[in-house]
Amino acid sequence: SSAIIIDGQGKVVFSGAAKNYRQATTVASGTLLVNTTIMDRTSAGHFTVKNGATLELGSSGILKGTGGGGIR
């Protein structure tokens, strides 16, 4: 699986059905809005939020870690 890198002004939205997530995600700039349940099942499935970037959890946004990943 490939990593996801969000780098640029504006907002990217993760939404829809709950997802089993295995990719590392970096928010280098801009905003990532999570409007779904994301289940991290591997240690690689972490979120890194760089200085000046934003990770938002919407009203239906849930991050669940079961494999050692997390938010950095």
Side-chain angles (χ1 to χ4, degrees), residues 7-37:
D7 191 6
Q9 295 181 347
K11 185 177 285 190
V12 174
V13 180
F14 287 0
S15 62
K19 295 161 181 59
N20 286 327
Y21 199 75
R22 291 182 166 80
Q23 293 83 8
T25 299
T26 300
V27 185
S29 63
T31 300
L32 171 60
L33 171 59
V34 177
N35 270 337
T36 188
T37 298

